[in-house]
Amino acid sequence: MKVAIDGPAGGGKSTIARMIAENFGFLYINSGNLYRAVTYLALQEDVCWQDSQAMIALVQRHHFDYRPDGAVEVDGKLLAGELRSPQVDAIVSQVSAIPEIRAQVNSIIRSISEGKDVVSEGRDITTVVFPDAEIKLYLDASAEIRAERRFRERLAQKVSDIPPRIEDIRKNIEMRDALDAQKTVGALKIAQDAIYLDTSDLTIQQVYEKVYKILRARIAHGRK
Ligand code: CDP
């Protein structure tokens, strides 16, 4: 079974996807982590992200894999905190707008997911990567709330010695929202058959309860 979740940054996708993966024993595929890993490698190896050919070659020279918790390994090495740096945040949406990079990422995700129960989240999972997913969700929240959530997350993660500023986070989220909406391929859209949830006034537990009921009903229906 495939569960596909899309939505903007801070909508709660990764937390909910992780809870589904843990409780239902699904593999968790965080597609944003793969775009972040490609972006991180470009920064590390001094590859100019505007040079599509060099970016394609960069993806081809590395091996990408997922751990069951959605974390990404590159050439067998776990990448975690380094994927959440302000430097990666600043250009990941531009990197993910390159159609050839999207095609490479999608093919890695599909090949890792083949024949497995998977919960995958991102921007185009319900529309492009798994258009036939049995369950499609779109998790939304106001930009204000999403920035606040991301701020608290970054404070807890301590990814850098410089403390995060909510104003910078809000600006970055708004910039990425705008870029995600404009993408020529893989733009963030609400799929016609997706269940839309506004999580602005809900706790994670409340969102999960709704999602859990949807999954249970769908699984029971599938067994009839
Ligand atoms: O965690 P957050 O929602 O901030 O972002 P992410 O899921 O880590 O994704 C990072 C960026 O990659 C997003 O801002 C999108 O621009 C891009 N992305 C995408 O284009 N398509 C996806 N399926 C997933 C992410």
PDB file of all heavy atoms in Angstrom, residues 19-53:
ATOM      1  N   MET A  19       4.848   8.832  12.212  1.00  0.00           N
ATOM      2  CA  MET A  19       3.925   8.112  13.110  1.00  0.00           C
ATOM      3  C   MET A  19       3.229   6.974  12.360  1.00  0.00           C
ATOM      4  O   MET A  19       3.072   5.870  12.890  1.00  0.00           O
ATOM      5  CB  MET A  19       2.890   9.088  13.695  1.00  0.00           C
ATOM      6  CG  MET A  19       3.506  10.046  14.698  1.00  0.00           C
ATOM      7  SD  MET A  19       2.379  11.400  15.121  1.00  0.00           S
ATOM      8  CE  MET A  19       1.594  10.755  16.578  1.00  0.00           C
ATOM      9  N   ILE A  20       2.848   7.230  11.112  1.00  0.00           N
ATOM     10  CA  ILE A  20       2.210   6.183  10.300  1.00  0.00           C
ATOM     11  C   ILE A  20       3.209   5.036  10.110  1.00  0.00           C
ATOM     12  O   ILE A  20       2.879   3.864  10.291  1.00  0.00           O
ATOM     13  CB  ILE A  20       1.764   6.723   8.921  1.00  0.00           C
ATOM     14  CG1 ILE A  20       0.667   7.775   9.076  1.00  0.00           C
ATOM     15  CG2 ILE A  20       1.305   5.581   7.998  1.00  0.00           C
ATOM     16  CD1 ILE A  20       0.275   8.466   7.777  1.00  0.00           C
ATOM     17  N   ALA A  21       4.453   5.399   9.759  1.00  0.00           N
ATOM     18  CA  ALA A  21       5.478   4.381   9.498  1.00  0.00           C
ATOM     19  C   ALA A  21       5.685   3.505  10.727  1.00  0.00           C
ATOM     20  O   ALA A  21       5.735   2.271  10.629  1.00  0.00           O
ATOM     21  CB  ALA A  21       6.787   5.053   9.084  1.00  0.00           C
ATOM     22  N   GLU A  22       5.779   4.146  11.893  1.00  0.00           N
ATOM     23  CA  GLU A  22       6.030   3.386  13.128  1.00  0.00           C
ATOM     24  C   GLU A  22       4.856   2.481  13.482  1.00  0.00           C
ATOM     25  O   GLU A  22       5.027   1.325  13.814  1.00  0.00           O
ATOM     26  CB  GLU A  22       6.266   4.358  14.291  1.00  0.00           C
ATOM     27  CG  GLU A  22       7.721   4.786  14.385  1.00  0.00           C
ATOM     28  CD  GLU A  22       7.919   5.901  15.390  1.00  0.00           C
ATOM     29  OE1 GLU A  22       7.079   6.029  16.325  1.00  0.00           O
ATOM     30  OE2 GLU A  22       8.891   6.643  15.206  1.00  0.00           O
ATOM     31  N   ASN A  23       3.640   3.035  13.393  1.00  0.00           N
ATOM     32  CA  ASN A  23       2.468   2.277  13.863  1.00  0.00           C
ATOM     33  C   ASN A  23       1.984   1.228  12.881  1.00  0.00           C
ATOM     34  O   ASN A  23       1.384   0.233  13.275  1.00  0.00           O
ATOM     35  CB  ASN A  23       1.323   3.226  14.212  1.00  0.00           C
ATOM     36  CG  ASN A  23       1.664   4.040  15.446  1.00  0.00           C
ATOM     37  OD1 ASN A  23       2.197   3.502  16.401  1.00  0.00           O
ATOM     38  ND2 ASN A  23       1.396   5.322  15.412  1.00  0.00           N
ATOM     39  N   PHE A  24       2.215   1.466  11.586  1.00  0.00           N
ATOM     40  CA  PHE A  24       1.714   0.510  10.590  1.00  0.00           C
ATOM     41  C   PHE A  24       2.842  -0.335   9.983  1.00  0.00           C
ATOM     42  O   PHE A  24       2.601  -1.175   9.128  1.00  0.00           O
ATOM     43  CB  PHE A  24       0.955   1.243   9.476  1.00  0.00           C
ATOM     44  CG  PHE A  24      -0.391   1.783   9.917  1.00  0.00           C
ATOM     45  CD1 PHE A  24      -0.494   3.000  10.565  1.00  0.00           C
ATOM     46  CD2 PHE A  24      -1.558   1.055   9.698  1.00  0.00           C
ATOM     47  CE1 PHE A  24      -1.722   3.502  10.986  1.00  0.00           C
ATOM     48  CE2 PHE A  24      -2.794   1.540  10.108  1.00  0.00           C
ATOM     49  CZ  PHE A  24      -2.873   2.770  10.763  1.00  0.00           C
ATOM     50  N   GLY A  25       4.080  -0.052  10.381  1.00  0.00           N
ATOM     51  CA  GLY A  25       5.218  -0.813   9.868  1.00  0.00           C
ATOM     52  C   GLY A  25       5.543  -0.502   8.410  1.00  0.00           C
ATOM     53  O   GLY A  25       6.056  -1.350   7.687  1.00  0.00           O
ATOM     54  N   PHE A  26       5.238   0.721   7.979  1.00  0.00           N
ATOM     55  CA  PHE A  26       5.540   1.123   6.607  1.00  0.00           C
ATOM     56  C   PHE A  26       6.956   1.718   6.522  1.00  0.00           C
ATOM     57  O   PHE A  26       7.484   2.206   7.511  1.00  0.00           O
ATOM     58  CB  PHE A  26       4.555   2.219   6.140  1.00  0.00           C
ATOM     59  CG  PHE A  26       3.179   1.716   5.774  1.00  0.00           C
ATOM     60  CD1 PHE A  26       2.701   0.496   6.239  1.00  0.00           C
ATOM     61  CD2 PHE A  26       2.353   2.481   4.960  1.00  0.00           C
ATOM     62  CE1 PHE A  26       1.433   0.054   5.898  1.00  0.00           C
ATOM     63  CE2 PHE A  26       1.084   2.043   4.619  1.00  0.00           C
ATOM     64  CZ  PHE A  26       0.625   0.829   5.085  1.00  0.00           C
ATOM     65  N   LEU A  27       7.525   1.681   5.335  1.00  0.00           N
ATOM     66  CA  LEU A  27       8.784   2.383   5.099  1.00  0.00           C
ATOM     67  C   LEU A  27       8.450   3.868   4.926  1.00  0.00           C
ATOM     68  O   LEU A  27       7.465   4.209   4.266  1.00  0.00           O
ATOM     69  CB  LEU A  27       9.435   1.848   3.816  1.00  0.00           C
ATOM     70  CG  LEU A  27      10.720   2.537   3.355  1.00  0.00           C
ATOM     71  CD1 LEU A  27      11.865   2.291   4.338  1.00  0.00           C
ATOM     72  CD2 LEU A  27      11.136   2.020   1.976  1.00  0.00           C
ATOM     73  N   TYR A  28       9.263   4.729   5.522  1.00  0.00           N
ATOM     74  CA  TYR A  28       9.014   6.174   5.427  1.00  0.00           C
ATOM     75  C   TYR A  28       9.979   6.814   4.423  1.00  0.00           C
ATOM     76  O   TYR A  28      11.191   6.753   4.594  1.00  0.00           O
ATOM     77  CB  TYR A  28       9.166   6.802   6.817  1.00  0.00           C
ATOM     78  CG  TYR A  28       9.185   8.315   6.829  1.00  0.00           C
ATOM     79  CD1 TYR A  28       8.507   9.059   5.876  1.00  0.00           C
ATOM     80  CD2 TYR A  28       9.877   9.004   7.815  1.00  0.00           C
ATOM     81  CE1 TYR A  28       8.528  10.441   5.896  1.00  0.00           C
ATOM     82  CE2 TYR A  28       9.900  10.386   7.845  1.00  0.00           C
ATOM     83  CZ  TYR A  28       9.226  11.100   6.886  1.00  0.00           C
ATOM     84  OH  TYR A  28       9.261  12.465   6.905  1.00  0.00           O
ATOM     85  N   ILE A  29       9.426   7.414   3.397  1.00  0.00           N
ATOM     86  CA  ILE A  29      10.247   8.094   2.386  1.00  0.00           C
ATOM     87  C   ILE A  29       9.990   9.595   2.460  1.00  0.00           C
ATOM     88  O   ILE A  29       8.916  10.080   2.068  1.00  0.00           O
ATOM     89  CB  ILE A  29       9.897   7.599   0.959  1.00  0.00           C
ATOM     90  CG1 ILE A  29      10.114   6.091   0.823  1.00  0.00           C
ATOM     91  CG2 ILE A  29      10.660   8.398  -0.091  1.00  0.00           C
ATOM     92  CD1 ILE A  29      11.479   5.667   0.400  1.00  0.00           C
ATOM     93  N   ASN A  30      10.978  10.319   2.971  1.00  0.00           N
ATOM     94  CA  ASN A  30      10.894  11.777   3.046  1.00  0.00           C
ATOM     95  C   ASN A  30      11.581  12.329   1.797  1.00  0.00           C
ATOM     96  O   ASN A  30      12.808  12.372   1.713  1.00  0.00           O
ATOM     97  CB  ASN A  30      11.610  12.213   4.331  1.00  0.00           C
ATOM     98  CG  ASN A  30      11.689  13.713   4.483  1.00  0.00           C
ATOM     99  OD1 ASN A  30      11.814  14.445   3.515  1.00  0.00           O
ATOM    100  ND2 ASN A  30      11.632  14.167   5.724  1.00  0.00           N
ATOM    101  N   SER A  31      10.793  12.722   0.792  1.00  0.00           N
ATOM    102  CA  SER A  31      11.411  13.118  -0.490  1.00  0.00           C
ATOM    103  C   SER A  31      12.232  14.393  -0.356  1.00  0.00           C
ATOM    104  O   SER A  31      13.247  14.566  -1.026  1.00  0.00           O
ATOM    105  CB  SER A  31      10.348  13.280  -1.577  1.00  0.00           C
ATOM    106  OG  SER A  31       9.444  14.297  -1.237  1.00  0.00           O
ATOM    107  N   GLY A  32      11.810  15.278   0.547  1.00  0.00           N
ATOM    108  CA  GLY A  32      12.561  16.528   0.754  1.00  0.00           C
ATOM    109  C   GLY A  32      13.991  16.237   1.204  1.00  0.00           C
ATOM    110  O   GLY A  32      14.922  16.948   0.814  1.00  0.00           O
ATOM    111  N   ASN A  33      14.170  15.173   2.009  1.00  0.00           N
ATOM    112  CA  ASN A  33      15.520  14.826   2.455  1.00  0.00           C
ATOM    113  C   ASN A  33      16.435  14.497   1.280  1.00  0.00           C
ATOM    114  O   ASN A  33      17.631  14.760   1.325  1.00  0.00           O
ATOM    115  CB  ASN A  33      15.481  13.621   3.408  1.00  0.00           C
ATOM    116  CG  ASN A  33      15.245  14.044   4.841  1.00  0.00           C
ATOM    117  OD1 ASN A  33      15.284  15.241   5.160  1.00  0.00           O
ATOM    118  ND2 ASN A  33      14.986  13.085   5.712  1.00  0.00           N
ATOM    119  N   LEU A  34      15.866  13.914   0.231  1.00  0.00           N
ATOM    120  CA  LEU A  34      16.681  13.574  -0.936  1.00  0.00           C
ATOM    121  C   LEU A  34      17.085  14.854  -1.698  1.00  0.00           C
ATOM    122  O   LEU A  34      18.232  15.007  -2.112  1.00  0.00           O
ATOM    123  CB  LEU A  34      15.888  12.618  -1.837  1.00  0.00           C
ATOM    124  CG  LEU A  34      16.678  11.635  -2.675  1.00  0.00           C
ATOM    125  CD1 LEU A  34      17.773  10.950  -1.896  1.00  0.00           C
ATOM    126  CD2 LEU A  34      15.729  10.564  -3.239  1.00  0.00           C
ATOM    127  N   TYR A  35      16.130  15.780  -1.855  1.00  0.00           N
ATOM    128  CA  TYR A  35      16.475  17.069  -2.482  1.00  0.00           C
ATOM    129  C   TYR A  35      17.493  17.818  -1.618  1.00  0.00           C
ATOM    130  O   TYR A  35      18.400  18.477  -2.133  1.00  0.00           O
ATOM    131  CB  TYR A  35      15.226  17.923  -2.692  1.00  0.00           C
ATOM    132  CG  TYR A  35      14.332  17.395  -3.785  1.00  0.00           C
ATOM    133  CD1 TYR A  35      13.096  16.840  -3.506  1.00  0.00           C
ATOM    134  CD2 TYR A  35      14.752  17.440  -5.114  1.00  0.00           C
ATOM    135  CE1 TYR A  35      12.285  16.330  -4.508  1.00  0.00           C
ATOM    136  CE2 TYR A  35      13.953  16.937  -6.129  1.00  0.00           C
ATOM    137  CZ  TYR A  35      12.723  16.380  -5.815  1.00  0.00           C
ATOM    138  OH  TYR A  35      11.938  15.872  -6.815  1.00  0.00           O
ATOM    139  N   ARG A  36      17.325  17.704  -0.306  1.00  0.00           N
ATOM    140  CA  ARG A  36      18.271  18.357   0.594  1.00  0.00           C
ATOM    141  C   ARG A  36      19.660  17.714   0.486  1.00  0.00           C
ATOM    142  O   ARG A  36      20.679  18.404   0.521  1.00  0.00           O
ATOM    143  CB  ARG A  36      17.768  18.275   2.041  1.00  0.00           C
ATOM    144  CG  ARG A  36      16.616  19.216   2.327  1.00  0.00           C
ATOM    145  CD  ARG A  36      16.067  19.071   3.740  1.00  0.00           C
ATOM    146  NE  ARG A  36      14.965  19.982   3.969  1.00  0.00           N
ATOM    147  CZ  ARG A  36      15.097  21.257   4.339  1.00  0.00           C
ATOM    148  NH1 ARG A  36      16.301  21.755   4.534  1.00  0.00           N
ATOM    149  NH2 ARG A  36      14.040  22.030   4.495  1.00  0.00           N
ATOM    150  N   ALA A  37      19.708  16.380   0.340  1.00  0.00           N
ATOM    151  CA  ALA A  37      20.990  15.690   0.232  1.00  0.00           C
ATOM    152  C   ALA A  37      21.718  16.121  -1.045  1.00  0.00           C
ATOM    153  O   ALA A  37      22.928  16.375  -1.027  1.00  0.00           O
ATOM    154  CB  ALA A  37      20.772  14.178   0.243  1.00  0.00           C
ATOM    155  N   VAL A  38      20.976  16.229  -2.149  1.00  0.00           N
ATOM    156  CA  VAL A  38      21.587  16.665  -3.419  1.00  0.00           C
ATOM    157  C   VAL A  38      22.125  18.095  -3.254  1.00  0.00           C
ATOM    158  O   VAL A  38      23.237  18.415  -3.684  1.00  0.00           O
ATOM    159  CB  VAL A  38      20.554  16.593  -4.572  1.00  0.00           C
ATOM    160  CG1 VAL A  38      21.116  17.197  -5.850  1.00  0.00           C
ATOM    161  CG2 VAL A  38      20.100  15.146  -4.798  1.00  0.00           C
ATOM    162  N   THR A  39      21.350  18.938  -2.602  1.00  0.00           N
ATOM    163  CA  THR A  39      21.753  20.332  -2.381  1.00  0.00           C
ATOM    164  C   THR A  39      23.002  20.393  -1.503  1.00  0.00           C
ATOM    165  O   THR A  39      23.955  21.131  -1.794  1.00  0.00           O
ATOM    166  CB  THR A  39      20.597  21.102  -1.693  1.00  0.00           C
ATOM    167  OG1 THR A  39      19.422  20.930  -2.476  1.00  0.00           O
ATOM    168  CG2 THR A  39      20.915  22.574  -1.536  1.00  0.00           C
ATOM    169  N   TYR A  40      23.005  19.585  -0.448  1.00  0.00           N
ATOM    170  CA  TYR A  40      24.152  19.538   0.469  1.00  0.00           C
ATOM    171  C   TYR A  40      25.414  19.111  -0.288  1.00  0.00           C
ATOM    172  O   TYR A  40      26.479  19.706  -0.146  1.00  0.00           O
ATOM    173  CB  TYR A  40      23.844  18.576   1.612  1.00  0.00           C
ATOM    174  CG  TYR A  40      25.015  18.265   2.496  1.00  0.00           C
ATOM    175  CD1 TYR A  40      25.456  19.181   3.456  1.00  0.00           C
ATOM    176  CD2 TYR A  40      25.705  17.056   2.372  1.00  0.00           C
ATOM    177  CE1 TYR A  40      26.551  18.904   4.256  1.00  0.00           C
ATOM    178  CE2 TYR A  40      26.802  16.773   3.170  1.00  0.00           C
ATOM    179  CZ  TYR A  40      27.213  17.692   4.106  1.00  0.00           C
ATOM    180  OH  TYR A  40      28.298  17.415   4.895  1.00  0.00           O
ATOM    181  N   LEU A  41      25.294  18.077  -1.135  1.00  0.00           N
ATOM    182  CA  LEU A  41      26.455  17.596  -1.897  1.00  0.00           C
ATOM    183  C   LEU A  41      26.970  18.668  -2.850  1.00  0.00           C
ATOM    184  O   LEU A  41      28.168  18.830  -3.024  1.00  0.00           O
ATOM    185  CB  LEU A  41      26.083  16.331  -2.681  1.00  0.00           C
ATOM    186  CG  LEU A  41      25.813  15.072  -1.866  1.00  0.00           C
ATOM    187  CD1 LEU A  41      25.291  13.956  -2.777  1.00  0.00           C
ATOM    188  CD2 LEU A  41      27.062  14.598  -1.128  1.00  0.00           C
ATOM    189  N   ALA A  42      26.043  19.399  -3.464  1.00  0.00           N
ATOM    190  CA  ALA A  42      26.459  20.466  -4.390  1.00  0.00           C
ATOM    191  C   ALA A  42      27.281  21.521  -3.636  1.00  0.00           C
ATOM    192  O   ALA A  42      28.318  21.982  -4.122  1.00  0.00           O
ATOM    193  CB  ALA A  42      25.234  21.106  -5.045  1.00  0.00           C
ATOM    194  N   LEU A  43      26.830  21.863  -2.437  1.00  0.00           N
ATOM    195  CA  LEU A  43      27.561  22.855  -1.631  1.00  0.00           C
ATOM    196  C   LEU A  43      28.924  22.296  -1.221  1.00  0.00           C
ATOM    197  O   LEU A  43      29.946  22.987  -1.317  1.00  0.00           O
ATOM    198  CB  LEU A  43      26.753  23.219  -0.381  1.00  0.00           C
ATOM    199  CG  LEU A  43      25.479  24.047  -0.609  1.00  0.00           C
ATOM    200  CD1 LEU A  43      24.609  24.073   0.642  1.00  0.00           C
ATOM    201  CD2 LEU A  43      25.837  25.473  -1.028  1.00  0.00           C
ATOM    202  N   GLN A  44      28.949  21.044  -0.802  1.00  0.00           N
ATOM    203  CA  GLN A  44      30.188  20.404  -0.348  1.00  0.00           C
ATOM    204  C   GLN A  44      31.207  20.309  -1.466  1.00  0.00           C
ATOM    205  O   GLN A  44      32.387  20.483  -1.254  1.00  0.00           O
ATOM    206  CB  GLN A  44      29.903  18.966   0.116  1.00  0.00           C
ATOM    207  CG  GLN A  44      29.262  18.824   1.443  1.00  0.00           C
ATOM    208  CD  GLN A  44      30.201  19.259   2.555  1.00  0.00           C
ATOM    209  OE1 GLN A  44      30.041  20.350   3.064  1.00  0.00           O
ATOM    210  NE2 GLN A  44      31.185  18.455   2.892  1.00  0.00           N
ATOM    211  N   GLU A  45      30.712  19.965  -2.684  1.00  0.00           N
ATOM    212  CA  GLU A  45      31.628  19.685  -3.798  1.00  0.00           C
ATOM    213  C   GLU A  45      31.767  20.879  -4.732  1.00  0.00           C
ATOM    214  O   GLU A  45      32.287  20.759  -5.830  1.00  0.00           O
ATOM    215  CB  GLU A  45      31.150  18.434  -4.558  1.00  0.00           C
ATOM    216  CG  GLU A  45      31.194  17.212  -3.668  1.00  0.00           C
ATOM    217  CD  GLU A  45      30.710  15.941  -4.350  1.00  0.00           C
ATOM    218  OE1 GLU A  45      30.755  15.862  -5.589  1.00  0.00           O
ATOM    219  OE2 GLU A  45      30.275  15.033  -3.625  1.00  0.00           O
ATOM    220  N   ASP A  46      31.234  22.016  -4.281  1.00  0.00           N
ATOM    221  CA  ASP A  46      31.371  23.246  -5.055  1.00  0.00           C
ATOM    222  C   ASP A  46      30.800  23.127  -6.465  1.00  0.00           C
ATOM    223  O   ASP A  46      31.393  23.614  -7.426  1.00  0.00           O
ATOM    224  CB  ASP A  46      32.858  23.613  -5.159  1.00  0.00           C
ATOM    225  CG  ASP A  46      33.074  24.997  -4.598  1.00  0.00           C
ATOM    226  OD1 ASP A  46      32.070  25.703  -4.421  1.00  0.00           O
ATOM    227  OD2 ASP A  46      34.250  25.363  -4.364  1.00  0.00           O
ATOM    228  N   VAL A  47      29.688  22.449  -6.591  1.00  0.00           N
ATOM    229  CA  VAL A  47      29.030  22.328  -7.891  1.00  0.00           C
ATOM    230  C   VAL A  47      27.998  23.447  -7.975  1.00  0.00           C
ATOM    231  O   VAL A  47      27.212  23.636  -7.053  1.00  0.00           O
ATOM    232  CB  VAL A  47      28.329  20.947  -8.027  1.00  0.00           C
ATOM    233  CG1 VAL A  47      27.509  20.868  -9.310  1.00  0.00           C
ATOM    234  CG2 VAL A  47      29.350  19.821  -7.965  1.00  0.00           C
ATOM    235  N   CYS A  48      28.019  24.185  -9.071  1.00  0.00           N
ATOM    236  CA  CYS A  48      27.096  25.305  -9.216  1.00  0.00           C
ATOM    237  C   CYS A  48      25.689  24.765  -9.498  1.00  0.00           C
ATOM    238  O   CYS A  48      25.491  24.040 -10.476  1.00  0.00           O
ATOM    239  CB  CYS A  48      27.591  26.178 -10.373  1.00  0.00           C
ATOM    240  SG  CYS A  48      26.407  27.404 -10.856  1.00  0.00           S
ATOM    241  N   TRP A  49      24.696  25.105  -8.637  1.00  0.00           N
ATOM    242  CA  TRP A  49      23.365  24.502  -8.795  1.00  0.00           C
ATOM    243  C   TRP A  49      22.668  24.957 -10.073  1.00  0.00           C
ATOM    244  O   TRP A  49      21.763  24.289 -10.556  1.00  0.00           O
ATOM    245  CB  TRP A  49      22.496  24.722  -7.554  1.00  0.00           C
ATOM    246  CG  TRP A  49      22.080  26.147  -7.299  1.00  0.00           C
ATOM    247  CD1 TRP A  49      22.684  27.019  -6.449  1.00  0.00           C
ATOM    248  CD2 TRP A  49      20.991  26.845  -7.908  1.00  0.00           C
ATOM    249  NE1 TRP A  49      22.042  28.233  -6.491  1.00  0.00           N
ATOM    250  CE2 TRP A  49      20.997  28.157  -7.373  1.00  0.00           C
ATOM    251  CE3 TRP A  49      20.007  26.519  -8.849  1.00  0.00           C
ATOM    252  CZ2 TRP A  49      20.065  29.125  -7.748  1.00  0.00           C
ATOM    253  CZ3 TRP A  49      19.094  27.492  -9.218  1.00  0.00           C
ATOM    254  CH2 TRP A  49      19.125  28.765  -8.674  1.00  0.00           C
ATOM    255  N   GLN A  50      23.123  26.086 -10.647  1.00  0.00           N
ATOM    256  CA  GLN A  50      22.492  26.546 -11.899  1.00  0.00           C
ATOM    257  C   GLN A  50      22.925  25.716 -13.102  1.00  0.00           C
ATOM    258  O   GLN A  50      22.306  25.784 -14.156  1.00  0.00           O
ATOM    259  CB  GLN A  50      22.853  28.017 -12.183  1.00  0.00           C
ATOM    260  CG  GLN A  50      22.064  29.005 -11.376  1.00  0.00           C
ATOM    261  CD  GLN A  50      22.872  29.577 -10.218  1.00  0.00           C
ATOM    262  OE1 GLN A  50      23.821  28.937  -9.761  1.00  0.00           O
ATOM    263  NE2 GLN A  50      22.514  30.745  -9.752  1.00  0.00           N
ATOM    264  N   ASP A  51      24.000  24.938 -12.939  1.00  0.00           N
ATOM    265  CA  ASP A  51      24.537  24.133 -14.037  1.00  0.00           C
ATOM    266  C   ASP A  51      23.857  22.742 -14.004  1.00  0.00           C
ATOM    267  O   ASP A  51      24.297  21.831 -13.303  1.00  0.00           O
ATOM    268  CB  ASP A  51      26.059  24.022 -13.849  1.00  0.00           C
ATOM    269  CG  ASP A  51      26.737  23.252 -14.976  1.00  0.00           C
ATOM    270  OD1 ASP A  51      26.032  22.561 -15.747  1.00  0.00           O
ATOM    271  OD2 ASP A  51      27.977  23.338 -15.069  1.00  0.00           O
ATOM    272  N   SER A  52      22.756  22.601 -14.766  1.00  0.00           N
ATOM    273  CA  SER A  52      21.959  21.367 -14.701  1.00  0.00           C
ATOM    274  C   SER A  52      22.790  20.127 -14.996  1.00  0.00           C
ATOM    275  O   SER A  52      22.638  19.100 -14.326  1.00  0.00           O
ATOM    276  CB  SER A  52      20.805  21.386 -15.696  1.00  0.00           C
ATOM    277  OG  SER A  52      20.109  22.549 -15.585  1.00  0.00           O
ATOM    278  N   GLN A  53      23.652  20.221 -16.021  1.00  0.00           N
ATOM    279  CA  GLN A  53      24.446  19.035 -16.394  1.00  0.00           C
ATOM    280  C   GLN A  53      25.349  18.599 -15.249  1.00  0.00           C
ATOM    281  O   GLN A  53      25.456  17.409 -14.948  1.00  0.00           O
ATOM    282  CB  GLN A  53      25.287  19.322 -17.657  1.00  0.00           C
ATOM    283  CG  GLN A  53      24.466  19.447 -18.933  1.00  0.00           C
ATOM    284  CD  GLN A  53      23.401  18.350 -19.071  1.00  0.00           C
ATOM    285  OE1 GLN A  53      23.686  17.170 -18.899  1.00  0.00           O
ATOM    286  NE2 GLN A  53      22.167  18.754 -19.348  1.00  0.00           N
TER     287      GLN A  53
END
